[in-house]
Amino acid sequence: MERLQKVIANLGYCSRRNAEKLIKAGKVAVNGETVFELGIKVSKKDVIEVEGIILDRNYNYEYYLLNKPRGVITAVCDDRGRKTVVDLVPTSARIYPVGRLDYDTTGVLLLTNDGVLANGLMHPSSNIDKVYIAKVEGILTGYDVKRLRSGVMIDGYRTSKCHVKVKSVDKKKERCIVEIVIHEGRNHQVKKMIESVGKKVIKLKRERYAILDVSGLKAGDYRKLTNKEIAILYSMISQKEN
Ligand code: URA
């Protein structure tokens, strides 16, 4: 027997916190009866309905690694009709992106319908490496790099310590290429970090996410994760949330 909100999250419907909100709002039914209590436990035999959708508790999980191209939004659907990352991976499973990349950011994006793995990877306590390569307008000084490494203020919070390395400098064009490894995943984090030291990201690519990189995949291409990769990702997540 497991708590209802945990089962809903683990089935990939939404996060555990959102599942709690849906329960409180009377949008969840178990065996046809609306429930409002958060503590209720359910077994495999119970039929769970969320917002009118019966959750299939026996489906197979799917895991995809996409090399996200520019000009695609990281969402399941878009009210403005733009192409989404889910459109690039043809499957009937209800997969969704793990975290998000901006419209113009390229690179590694994991998609799955496995809520345990997705929520585990996104939880800050799992400390997953996200490696970005940024093309920057302006040349980062040693002082800029020091500040970025030790944490800068963006949107009223201080970013955590991170790895920053200037990989190359083009003095003529006044640009540089920077590698940044962060564990957080705030909105536009890398761009805002670079802005905080007075420079601008003009191209951004996520080169690695945990153990995953896009070698062998052209922009827009995807592949299934191997069982070994799935097992390694599981070994990397904090089990506290699950
Ligand atoms: N940081 C950003 O600024 N954008 C992304 O897409 C990812 C990280």
Side-chain angles (χ1 to χ4, degrees):
M1 299 278 277
E2 284 183 309
R3 280 186 300 144
L4 180 56
Q5 59 267 40
K6 180 177 168 186
V7 174
I8 295 170
N10 288 356
L11 287 168
Y13 188 85
C14 57
S15 69
R16 194 182 300 197
R17 197 170 301 160
N18 282 340
E20 289 175 358
K21 283 186 193 156
L22 290 170
I23 294 169
K24 283 188 195 157
K27 293 190 173 164
V28 178
V30 176
N31 303 324
E33 297 237 346
T34 304
V35 289
F36 296 92
E37 274 171 70
L38 292 182
I40 172 175
K41 290 195 168 175
V42 289
S43 77
K44 283 256 181 226
K45 288 186 198 146
D46 291 312
V47 176
I48 301 168
E49 197 174 326
V50 186
E51 298 181 305
I53 297 166
I54 293 183
L55 303 187
D56 180 356
R57 306 187 65 183
N58 295 314
Y59 66 45
N60 289 325
Y61 291 127
E62 296 185 10
Y63 307 85
Y64 297 94
L65 167 57
L66 171 71
N67 185 357
K68 181 193 172 295
R70 283 163 170 264
V72 175
I73 69 158
T74 307
V76 173
C77 57
D78 181 42
D79 48 15
R80 286 160 59 190
R82 288 171 300 178
K83 196 178 245 190
T84 74
V85 289
V86 169
D87 295 332
L88 298 175
V89 183
T91 171
S92 56
R94 281 165 44 101
I95 56 167
Y96 55 90
V98 178
R100 74 183 288 281
L101 292 178
D102 294 338
Y103 192 65
D104 57 353
T105 300
T106 61
V108 183
L109 187 67
L110 174 63
L111 296 109
T112 184
N113 53 358
D114 178 347
V116 172
L117 186 64
N119 291 325
L121 289 169
M122 285 189 283
H123 197 271
S125 61
S126 295
N127 260 333
I128 298 300
D129 272 359
K130 293 159 195 161
V131 182
Y132 292 93
I133 302 293
K135 186 187 250 188
V136 173
E137 188 82 66
I139 297 174
L140 291 186
T141 63
Y143 181 58
D144 293 336
V145 171
K146 226 174 171 178
R147 284 176 61 201
L148 289 167
R149 282 183 184 152
S150 59
V152 288
M153 291 300 291
I154 56 173
D155 297 336
Y157 82 95
R158 180 172 288 283
T159 56
S160 301
K161 282 190 178 152
C162 66
H163 164 97
V164 179
K165 188 175 174 197
V166 177
K167 307 265 285 180
S168 65
V169 170
D170 184 335
K171 281 192 181 155
K172 260 196 194 156
K173 290 190 178 160
E174 284 269 322
R175 288 178 179 170
C176 63
I177 304 288
V178 188
E179 179 185 83
I180 302 191
V181 186
I182 56 175
H183 295 132
E184 301 155 294
R186 307 219 178 219
N187 256 359
H188 316 302
Q189 180 158 343
V190 172
K191 291 175 186 166
K192 286 181 177 171
M193 285 172 71
I194 298 292
E195 262 167 38
S196 78
V197 295
K199 315 288 186 308
K200 189 174 187 307
V201 171
I202 49 177
K203 227 178 191 182
L204 187 61
K205 176 182 180 183
R206 182 150 73 188
E207 200 175 55
R208 181 164 65 79
Y209 179 84
I211 52 158
L212 305 173
D213 64 44
V214 288
S215 37
L217 290 179
K218 284 186 263 150
D221 282 357
Y222 66 90
R223 68 168 173 85
K224 283 192 168 178
L225 259 56
T226 63
N227 288 341
K228 189 170 175 197
E229 286 169 331
I230 297 163
I232 295 173
L233 291 176
Y234 258 100
S235 75
M236 296 175 89
I237 65 174
S238 154
Q239 295 296 322
K240 279 182 225 148
E241 269 289 285
N242 305 315

